[in-house]
Short mmCIF file of all heavy atoms in Angstrom, two decimals:
data_model
loop_
_atom_site.label_atom_id
_atom_site.label_comp_id
_atom_site.label_asym_id
_atom_site.label_seq_id
_atom_site.Cartn_x
_atom_site.Cartn_y
_atom_site.Cartn_z
N ASP A 124 5.73 -0.60 11.01
CA ASP A 124 5.46 0.82 10.77
C ASP A 124 6.33 1.70 11.67
O ASP A 124 6.80 2.76 11.23
CB ASP A 124 3.98 1.12 11.02
CG ASP A 124 3.08 0.41 10.01
OD1 ASP A 124 3.59 -0.01 8.96
OD2 ASP A 124 1.87 0.27 10.29
N LEU A 125 6.54 1.27 12.90
CA LEU A 125 7.37 2.07 13.81
C LEU A 125 8.81 2.13 13.30
O LEU A 125 9.45 3.19 13.32
CB LEU A 125 7.31 1.45 15.21
CG LEU A 125 7.93 2.26 16.36
CD1 LEU A 125 7.22 1.92 17.67
CD2 LEU A 125 9.42 1.99 16.52
N LEU A 126 9.33 1.01 12.84
CA LEU A 126 10.71 0.99 12.31
C LEU A 126 10.83 1.84 11.05
O LEU A 126 11.83 2.54 10.85
CB LEU A 126 11.12 -0.44 12.02
CG LEU A 126 11.38 -1.34 13.24
CD1 LEU A 126 11.47 -2.79 12.83
CD2 LEU A 126 12.65 -0.91 13.97
N ALA A 127 9.83 1.77 10.18
CA ALA A 127 9.88 2.56 8.95
C ALA A 127 9.82 4.05 9.24
O ALA A 127 10.30 4.87 8.44
CB ALA A 127 8.73 2.15 8.03
N ASP A 128 9.26 4.43 10.38
CA ASP A 128 9.13 5.85 10.73
C ASP A 128 10.37 6.40 11.41
O ASP A 128 10.47 7.62 11.60
CB ASP A 128 7.90 6.01 11.65
CG ASP A 128 7.56 7.47 11.90
OD1 ASP A 128 7.21 8.17 10.93
OD2 ASP A 128 7.66 7.92 13.07
N LEU A 129 11.33 5.55 11.78
CA LEU A 129 12.52 6.03 12.50
C LEU A 129 13.33 7.01 11.66
O LEU A 129 13.98 7.90 12.20
CB LEU A 129 13.40 4.85 12.91
CG LEU A 129 12.83 3.92 13.98
CD1 LEU A 129 13.82 2.80 14.27
CD2 LEU A 129 12.50 4.68 15.25
N ARG A 130 13.31 6.85 10.33
CA ARG A 130 14.11 7.74 9.48
C ARG A 130 13.63 9.17 9.56
O ARG A 130 14.37 10.10 9.22
CB ARG A 130 14.07 7.26 8.04
CG ARG A 130 12.67 7.14 7.48
CD ARG A 130 12.66 6.48 6.12
NE ARG A 130 11.32 6.19 5.65
CZ ARG A 130 11.07 5.53 4.54
NH1 ARG A 130 12.04 5.11 3.78
NH2 ARG A 130 9.82 5.28 4.18
N ARG A 131 12.38 9.38 9.98
CA ARG A 131 11.89 10.76 10.15
C ARG A 131 12.50 11.42 11.37
O ARG A 131 12.53 12.64 11.45
CB ARG A 131 10.36 10.75 10.25
CG ARG A 131 9.66 10.14 9.05
CD ARG A 131 8.15 10.19 9.21
NE ARG A 131 7.48 9.54 8.10
CZ ARG A 131 7.18 10.11 6.94
NH1 ARG A 131 7.52 11.38 6.76
NH2 ARG A 131 6.57 9.45 5.98
N HIS A 132 12.97 10.63 12.30
CA HIS A 132 13.58 11.17 13.51
C HIS A 132 15.10 11.24 13.39
O HIS A 132 15.73 12.07 14.05
CB HIS A 132 13.18 10.31 14.72
CG HIS A 132 11.70 10.24 14.94
ND1 HIS A 132 11.01 11.12 15.74
CD2 HIS A 132 10.78 9.39 14.42
CE1 HIS A 132 9.72 10.82 15.72
NE2 HIS A 132 9.55 9.76 14.93
N ASP A 133 15.69 10.35 12.59
CA ASP A 133 17.13 10.37 12.34
C ASP A 133 17.35 9.77 10.96
O ASP A 133 17.07 8.58 10.75
CB ASP A 133 17.87 9.57 13.41
CG ASP A 133 19.38 9.80 13.37
OD1 ASP A 133 19.93 9.95 12.25
OD2 ASP A 133 20.02 9.81 14.44
N SER A 134 17.84 10.56 10.02
CA SER A 134 17.99 10.09 8.64
C SER A 134 18.96 8.92 8.52
O SER A 134 18.93 8.19 7.53
CB SER A 134 18.47 11.25 7.75
OG SER A 134 19.72 11.76 8.20
N ARG A 135 19.82 8.72 9.53
CA ARG A 135 20.77 7.60 9.48
C ARG A 135 20.07 6.26 9.73
O ARG A 135 20.66 5.21 9.49
CB ARG A 135 21.88 7.81 10.51
CG ARG A 135 22.74 9.03 10.26
CD ARG A 135 23.71 9.25 11.41
NE ARG A 135 23.01 9.49 12.67
CZ ARG A 135 23.61 9.58 13.84
NH1 ARG A 135 24.93 9.43 13.93
NH2 ARG A 135 22.91 9.80 14.94
N LEU A 136 18.84 6.31 10.21
CA LEU A 136 18.11 5.07 10.52
C LEU A 136 17.19 4.67 9.38
O LEU A 136 16.09 4.15 9.60
CB LEU A 136 17.30 5.26 11.82
CG LEU A 136 18.14 5.58 13.06
CD1 LEU A 136 17.25 5.73 14.27
CD2 LEU A 136 19.19 4.50 13.29
N LEU A 137 17.64 4.91 8.15
CA LEU A 137 16.90 4.43 6.98
C LEU A 137 17.24 2.95 6.79
O LEU A 137 18.35 2.60 6.41
CB LEU A 137 17.29 5.25 5.74
CG LEU A 137 16.66 4.81 4.42
CD1 LEU A 137 15.15 4.90 4.48
CD2 LEU A 137 17.20 5.65 3.27
N LEU A 138 16.29 2.08 7.05
CA LEU A 138 16.52 0.65 7.08
C LEU A 138 16.04 0.00 5.79
O LEU A 138 15.06 0.45 5.19
CB LEU A 138 15.80 0.01 8.27
CG LEU A 138 16.16 0.57 9.65
CD1 LEU A 138 15.24 -0.02 10.71
CD2 LEU A 138 17.61 0.28 9.99
N SER A 139 16.71 -1.06 5.39
CA SER A 139 16.26 -1.83 4.23
C SER A 139 15.08 -2.69 4.63
O SER A 139 14.80 -2.90 5.82
CB SER A 139 17.40 -2.70 3.71
OG SER A 139 17.72 -3.70 4.65
N ALA A 140 14.39 -3.23 3.62
CA ALA A 140 13.26 -4.10 3.90
C ALA A 140 13.71 -5.35 4.64
O ALA A 140 13.02 -5.85 5.54
CB ALA A 140 12.55 -4.47 2.59
N GLN A 141 14.90 -5.86 4.29
CA GLN A 141 15.41 -7.07 4.95
C GLN A 141 15.73 -6.79 6.42
O GLN A 141 15.40 -7.59 7.29
CB GLN A 141 16.65 -7.57 4.22
CG GLN A 141 17.22 -8.86 4.78
CD GLN A 141 18.40 -9.37 3.96
OE1 GLN A 141 18.78 -8.76 2.97
NE2 GLN A 141 18.97 -10.48 4.38
N ASP A 142 16.37 -5.64 6.69
CA ASP A 142 16.68 -5.30 8.08
C ASP A 142 15.40 -5.05 8.88
O ASP A 142 15.31 -5.43 10.05
CB ASP A 142 17.57 -4.06 8.12
CG ASP A 142 18.97 -4.33 7.60
OD1 ASP A 142 19.34 -5.51 7.51
OD2 ASP A 142 19.67 -3.36 7.25
N THR A 143 14.42 -4.42 8.25
CA THR A 143 13.16 -4.15 8.95
C THR A 143 12.46 -5.46 9.33
O THR A 143 11.94 -5.60 10.44
CB THR A 143 12.24 -3.30 8.07
OG1 THR A 143 12.92 -2.07 7.75
CG2 THR A 143 10.95 -2.97 8.79
N ALA A 144 12.47 -6.43 8.40
CA ALA A 144 11.85 -7.72 8.71
C ALA A 144 12.57 -8.43 9.85
O ALA A 144 11.95 -9.15 10.64
CB ALA A 144 11.85 -8.59 7.46
N HIS A 145 13.89 -8.24 9.95
CA HIS A 145 14.64 -8.87 11.04
C HIS A 145 14.34 -8.21 12.38
O HIS A 145 14.26 -8.89 13.41
CB HIS A 145 16.14 -8.78 10.74
CG HIS A 145 17.00 -9.36 11.83
ND1 HIS A 145 17.29 -10.71 11.92
CD2 HIS A 145 17.62 -8.77 12.90
CE1 HIS A 145 18.05 -10.93 12.98
NE2 HIS A 145 18.28 -9.77 13.58
N LEU A 146 14.16 -6.88 12.39
CA LEU A 146 13.98 -6.14 13.64
C LEU A 146 12.54 -6.11 14.12
O LEU A 146 12.29 -5.89 15.31
CB LEU A 146 14.48 -4.70 13.47
CG LEU A 146 15.97 -4.53 13.14
CD1 LEU A 146 16.27 -3.07 12.83
CD2 LEU A 146 16.83 -5.01 14.30
N ALA A 147 11.58 -6.31 13.22
CA ALA A 147 10.16 -6.16 13.57
C ALA A 147 9.75 -7.06 14.74
O ALA A 147 9.04 -6.60 15.64
CB ALA A 147 9.28 -6.41 12.35
N PRO A 148 10.16 -8.35 14.80
CA PRO A 148 9.76 -9.15 15.98
C PRO A 148 10.28 -8.58 17.29
O PRO A 148 9.60 -8.69 18.33
CB PRO A 148 10.37 -10.52 15.67
CG PRO A 148 10.51 -10.57 14.19
CD PRO A 148 10.84 -9.17 13.79
N GLY A 149 11.48 -7.97 17.27
CA GLY A 149 12.00 -7.37 18.50
C GLY A 149 11.15 -6.21 18.97
O GLY A 149 10.85 -6.08 20.17
N VAL A 150 10.74 -5.35 18.04
CA VAL A 150 9.86 -4.24 18.42
C VAL A 150 8.50 -4.77 18.87
O VAL A 150 7.90 -4.26 19.82
CB VAL A 150 9.71 -3.26 17.23
CG1 VAL A 150 8.72 -2.16 17.57
CG2 VAL A 150 11.06 -2.66 16.87
N ALA A 151 8.01 -5.82 18.21
CA ALA A 151 6.73 -6.40 18.62
C ALA A 151 6.81 -6.95 20.04
O ALA A 151 5.83 -6.87 20.80
CB ALA A 151 6.34 -7.51 17.64
#
Side-chain angles (χ1 to χ4, degrees):
D124 294 342
L125 190 152
L126 288 167
D128 188 63
L129 292 180
R130 57 188 172 185
R131 301 181 183 276
H132 301 270
D133 192 324
S134 60
R135 297 174 298 173
L136 299 180
L137 176 61
L138 303 173
S139 67
Q141 183 176 359
D142 290 343
T143 302
H145 178 84
L146 298 173
V150 176

